[in-house]
Amino acid sequence: MLKKVSKIIVLCMVMAFTVFMFGGCGGEAQSEADADTLVISTPIDTGNLNPHTYNSPMWIQTMVYEGLTDFDNGEVKPGMAQSWDITEDGREYTFHLRSGNVFSDGTAVTADIVKKNFDAVLAHRDVHNWVESINQMQEVVVIDENTVKIILKEPFSSFLQELSLARPLRVGAEAIFPGNGDTGENIKEPIGSGMWLQKEYVEGQYTVFERNDKYWGEKPSYKFLKFSVIPDINTAVSSLKAGEIDLIYDIEGQMTGDAYNDLEKSGYKTISSEPMTTNNLLLNTSSSATKDLNVRLALEYATDKKAIADNVFYGLQTPADTLMSTQTPYCDIGLTPYDYNLDKAKSLLDESGWKLADGATYRSKDGKELAIDFIYLGDNDAQKNIGQVLQNQYQQIGIKVNLLAQEKQTYGDKQKSGEFGMLLAETWGDPFDPHSYLSSFRNPSHGDYAAQVGLPMKKEIDNTINKALNSTDTKMVQESYDYVLRTLHEQAVYVPITFTTKQAAFGDNISKVRFNTLVESPFGEIELNK
């Protein structure tokens, strides 16, 4: 019996030693894998990667799928199509596909599969009617294996630019299509011709992408790209410091000034992009309080933008005076900014009958308190911080602001239905501005429509946008956008707050980090020094 026990003990010792030795080898193998993996935090899940719907972040979809065109450094560039021809009337575009291009599963990129993707999107025009290109597409015609023609109903000067959007006009392989060919809800599997392919996905936790070695363009130097879902920016900062992630690449606007400065002081490399969009407060013209123009104007004059830029963003963002940056095409129209002026704000409220009784904190009229609901994403600290600052600023003129945290789905639903008094919104930046962004004003798929629908001239605004989108006359486009932007400015639908920038923070183990647009994120250029 003792001999048996001794043999078991010896066997266990041998097994333990073996595990120790091979565990060490396994550790080295893992280290080698880690050295070829870039880990980035993201506050949101990467979704189902359907190129034809809106359930994934735009910058994730562009990693897997290509469009006929691309957009980089402010210019339309070749994508799947290496060149194109346009008829004189601007209604027919003939695209010449890259010869020999294949999807990540090895199947060929052909005119037939491009047409199949576009036809699947066009089958759901009502879902995508914010995209003027889709409204204008009359027919997609296969000319030969590598040539596809798109015929428009009317000319659309921003067509090539919109084809570069992350969705819904990106092209997937035959493998994405379910049995019925309808991608309106789901796809079979995410197969594209982009730089990356999805390797592993755990909903709400992480997604691993692998380098697509069949990609036609320049490929990343590392093999794997992992996105860890970390909704809270402070947790992301702790994860970076602990070495659990390599990079905070804040394309979703999660970064706060406190977090950025903390990382900078702790010795991490930090970069900030050039201004990408305008961060603005969207006022609902149909809401009980904000339907009053004088209330909206009072909010314009009572907003201390510099205080927000300095105290919330610590100088990472600069004050904005207009909805669209004057650097945006057609948007430098000489609007007069609303200066910070509390006396003017109070006078406007008095004029509308909103009085401040002796000893009262908030104004009232006809027995009703002047209160406005501010909805925000509950897990977005930057939105919450801005809301708290605005709450304090507007209290100075007797307006009560109710801060109401929302989860993502509810927040989106309330934007569409107009169940808000005010909320934070952004312009869309490249490659959307100004055409695609203004085009969206006409459709009830975003908060902009709900906020504008109470305006007496809303129909005229929409008709003017229609004329601009369907014209190649730059003078007429300029006149149309002048009317739209000037009207929205005078009606105080938007309170511009700051010109937004995006931030990144990382250690010495990575380099060559830059920003492009809100659609395209050049992860492939990053170099690992692990």
Side-chain angles (χ1 to χ4, degrees), residues 284-356:
N284 192 339
T285 59
S286 297
S287 182
S288 57
T290 49
K291 69 168 55 173
D292 184 338
L293 175 58
N294 276 3
V295 170
R296 300 198 302 272
L297 288 170
L299 293 170
E300 295 274 9
Y301 286 111
T303 306
D304 189 348
K305 304 168 186 180
K306 188 176 187 305
I308 295 174
D310 292 344
N311 300 321
V312 176
F313 296 107
Y314 293 84
L316 295 176
Q317 298 187 13
T318 57
D321 290 325
T322 54
L323 171 63
M324 306 292 285
S325 165
T326 55
Q327 303 301 311
T328 305
Y330 301 105
C331 297
D332 186 4
I333 59 174
L335 297 175
T336 302
Y338 294 101
D339 295 328
Y340 179 56
N341 188 330
L342 291 180
D343 289 338
K344 178 67 173 175
K346 293 174 183 177
S347 175
L348 285 162
L349 294 175
D350 287 337
E351 185 181 315
S352 274
W354 292 102
K355 303 298 183 179
L356 189 62

Side-chain angles (χ1 to χ4, degrees), residues 282-438:
L282 189 53
L283 306 180
N284 192 339
T285 59
S286 297
S287 182
S288 57
T290 49
K291 69 168 55 173
D292 184 338
L293 175 58
N294 276 3
V295 170
R296 300 198 302 272
L297 288 170
L299 293 170
E300 295 274 9
Y301 286 111
T303 306
D304 189 348
K305 304 168 186 180
K306 188 176 187 305
I308 295 174
D310 292 344
N311 300 321
V312 176
F313 296 107
Y314 293 84
L316 295 176
Q317 298 187 13
T318 57
D321 290 325
T322 54
L323 171 63
M324 306 292 285
S325 165
T326 55
Q327 303 301 311
T328 305
Y330 301 105
C331 297
D332 186 4
I333 59 174
L335 297 175
T336 302
Y338 294 101
D339 295 328
Y340 179 56
N341 188 330
L342 291 180
D343 289 338
K344 178 67 173 175
K346 293 174 183 177
S347 175
L348 285 162
L349 294 175
D350 287 337
E351 185 181 315
S352 274
W354 292 102
K355 303 298 183 179
L356 189 62
D358 291 340
T361 302
Y362 302 111
R363 294 172 180 265
S364 61
K365 180 169 69 172
D366 300 329
K368 186 174 182 179
E369 191 174 61
L370 180 47
I372 304 172
D373 289 344
F374 174 95
I375 67 170
Y376 69 97
L377 285 169
D379 58 3
N380 189 308
D381 285 344
Q383 286 193 3
K384 180 180 179 180
N385 290 344
I386 294 173
Q388 290 172 337
V389 172
L390 292 174
Q391 185 181 53
N392 291 330
Q393 290 184 0
Y394 297 155
Q395 182 177 317
Q396 296 179 59
I397 60 171
I399 295 179
K400 182 179 182 181
V401 174
N402 301 314
L403 301 180
L404 305 177
Q406 312 289 315
E407 58 87 22
K408 184 179 179 181
Q409 183 62 52
T410 303
Y411 182 76
D413 291 343
K414 287 190 173 183
Q415 280 195 66
K416 295 178 184 179
S417 62
E419 296 176 70
F420 63 89
M422 59 175 72
L423 56 82
L424 289 171
E426 287 185 40
T427 57
W428 293 0
D430 284 342
F432 299 97
D433 294 344
H435 308 291
S436 301
Y437 178 56
L438 295 184

Side-chain angles (χ1 to χ4, degrees), residues 44-50 53-61 167:
I44 56 179
D45 189 77
T46 58
N48 66 4
L49 293 179
N50 186 339
T53 63
Y54 307 94
N55 297 321
S56 294
M58 291 183 292
W59 46 276
I60 291 290
Q61 288 168 305
R167 59 201 182 196

Side-chain angles (χ1 to χ4, degrees), residues 86-344:
I86 310 171
T87 56
E88 287 187 12
D89 64 2
R91 290 186 59 248
E92 295 186 8
Y93 289 71
T94 301
F95 295 92
H96 308 283
L97 304 180
R98 293 180 182 277
S99 179
N101 192 17
V102 298
F103 294 101
S104 61
D105 63 356
T107 58
V109 175
T110 64
D112 283 325
I113 195 63
V114 171
K115 175 177 168 57
K116 185 169 184 176
N117 275 261
F118 278 39
D119 285 348
V121 174
L122 295 175
H124 297 278
R125 286 181 191 265
D126 58 324
V127 177
H128 311 297
N129 59 10
W130 65 272
V131 185
E132 186 61 19
S133 294
I134 291 176
N135 294 332
Q136 293 301 332
M137 279 191 201
Q138 179 173 302
E139 187 178 7
V140 181
V141 181
V142 173
I143 305 300
D144 57 42
E145 184 178 8
N146 291 310
T147 312
V148 61
K149 178 188 290 186
I150 300 177
I151 303 172
L152 305 182
K153 301 172 187 174
E154 300 289 342
F156 178 43
S157 58
S158 191
F159 185 60
L160 293 174
Q161 193 166 325
E162 284 202 343
L163 287 179
S164 73
L165 300 184
R167 59 201 182 196
L169 293 171
R170 295 266 165 154
V171 179
E174 179 67 36
I176 76 168
F177 288 91
N180 62 3
D182 186 358
T183 58
E185 292 293 334
N186 295 300
I187 58 172
K188 194 172 181 180
E189 55 179 323
I191 302 296
S193 61
M195 188 181 292
W196 301 94
L197 60 95
Q198 183 175 274
K199 182 73 173 177
E200 183 180 2
Y201 171 59
V202 179
E203 185 176 1
Q205 296 184 39
Y206 66 86
T207 307
V208 177
F209 293 92
E210 183 177 356
R211 180 179 63 212
N212 175 17
D213 288 328
K214 296 181 176 67
Y215 177 59
W216 61 267
E218 187 173 346
K219 300 173 185 61
S221 60
Y222 55 96
K223 188 172 184 179
F224 298 103
L225 178 56
K226 179 179 179 180
F227 289 94
S228 293
V229 180
I230 307 177
D232 178 65
I233 185 59
N234 296 314
T235 304
V237 168
S238 298
S239 296
L240 180 61
K241 291 181 176 180
E244 297 165 349
I245 62 174
D246 301 305
L247 170 66
I248 298 175
Y249 190 89
D250 187 38
I251 201 69
E252 293 290 341
Q254 181 190 30
M255 185 72 77
T256 62
D258 283 336
Y260 187 84
N261 287 341
D262 174 36
L263 289 167
E264 197 168 51
K265 290 175 182 177
S266 299
Y268 287 87
K269 297 177 183 177
T270 54
I271 63 169
S272 188
S273 73
E274 293 296 317
M276 285 188 166
T277 62
T278 308
N279 189 26
N280 57 76
L281 187 65
L282 189 53
L283 306 180
N284 192 339
T285 59
S286 297
S287 182
S288 57
T290 49
K291 69 168 55 173
D292 184 338
L293 175 58
N294 276 3
V295 170
R296 300 198 302 272
L297 288 170
L299 293 170
E300 295 274 9
Y301 286 111
T303 306
D304 189 348
K305 304 168 186 180
K306 188 176 187 305
I308 295 174
D310 292 344
N311 300 321
V312 176
F313 296 107
Y314 293 84
L316 295 176
Q317 298 187 13
T318 57
D321 290 325
T322 54
L323 171 63
M324 306 292 285
S325 165
T326 55
Q327 303 301 311
T328 305
Y330 301 105
C331 297
D332 186 4
I333 59 174
L335 297 175
T336 302
Y338 294 101
D339 295 328
Y340 179 56
N341 188 330
L342 291 180
D343 289 338
K344 178 67 173 175

